[in-house]
Amino acid sequence: MSSDVMDGRPGKYLTFELGAEEFGIRVLQVREIIRLQDITCVPQTPAYVKGVINLRGKVIPVICLRSKFGLEPAGYVTRTCIIVVQVEGTSGPLLMGLVVDGVSEVLNISSADIQDTPNFGAGTPAPYLLCMAKIKGKVKILLDIDQVIGLTELTELPSLSAA
């Protein structure tokens, strides 16, 4: 058990919805939650890259987690929002927007609530899955958002803001 406490997985997580599933990311990486706004498309980017937004003078790349995870597309509703997170890019910290179906709550997850990610078999790499949390009889998928973003070519997107 002490290895769970030592590995840094317990703590505060912002939970959000994508379809019927609930995911969580570390609160420490969340910079803000904003309403969905106009997103400027950027040509020749992957389908899950929605484009960029202007957030108080900073150009921030935005990805749709639904598309990134291969979920069915869904129309935007009033709960749809953008979670602005800070991730570690190749050239240092970088702000990124994540379009999600809706934000749920902030949970304090203890080591007793945490389960290691199950083995999905050979050929199913999932390094972006930090662990699973059992809360009130439901399973929440906790993400390593650096890995979610880092597994893409998005680390080059900040060069768009330099243009």
Side-chain angles (χ1 to χ4, degrees):
M1 275 254 221
S2 62
S3 65
D4 272 355
V5 175
M6 302 280 293
D7 73 8
R9 295 185 298 183
K12 289 190 184 302
Y13 287 82
L14 174 71
T15 60
F16 59 89
E17 299 156 10
L18 288 177
E21 305 306 323
E22 280 203 56
F23 295 83
I25 54 177
R26 287 188 175 98
V27 165
L28 291 174
Q29 290 185 274
V30 175
R31 292 298 162 252
E32 61 188 293
I33 301 163
I34 59 175
R35 290 185 192 274
L36 197 60
Q37 56 183 273
D38 288 336
I39 300 172
T40 303
C41 292
V42 178
Q44 298 186 349
T45 55
Y48 54 84
V49 176
K50 292 297 151 201
V52 294
I53 58 171
N54 180 348
L55 185 64
R56 291 184 296 285
K58 282 192 150 185
V59 176
I60 310 234
V62 176
I63 67 168
C64 176
L65 279 188
R66 215 176 226 291
S67 297
K68 173 74 176 127
F69 291 157
L71 300 174
E72 288 293 317
Y76 295 149
V77 296
T78 54
R79 294 198 65 225
T80 305
C81 60
I82 298 173
I83 302 172
V84 179
V85 296
Q86 181 173 315
V87 295
E88 284 303 315
T90 52
S91 56
L94 145 75
L95 291 178
M96 179 74 60
L98 310 172
V99 176
V100 299
D101 293 348
V103 170
S104 301
E105 60 186 327
V106 173
L107 293 173
N108 195 7
I109 297 177
S110 70
S111 56
D113 301 323
I114 292 176
Q115 297 267 306
D116 287 335
T117 304
N119 183 349
F120 294 108
T124 313
Y128 55 87
L129 296 178
L130 187 60
C131 57
M132 305 290 166
K134 295 181 302 182
I135 308 290
K136 299 174 191 162
K138 289 186 145 188
V139 174
K140 302 199 187 303
I141 302 167
L142 304 184
L143 300 173
D144 180 342
I145 204 64
D146 287 328
Q147 287 290 322
V148 171
I149 307 298
L151 292 174
T152 69
E153 42 297 340
L154 292 178
T155 51
E156 278 79 54
L157 279 183
S159 63
L160 295 172
S161 60

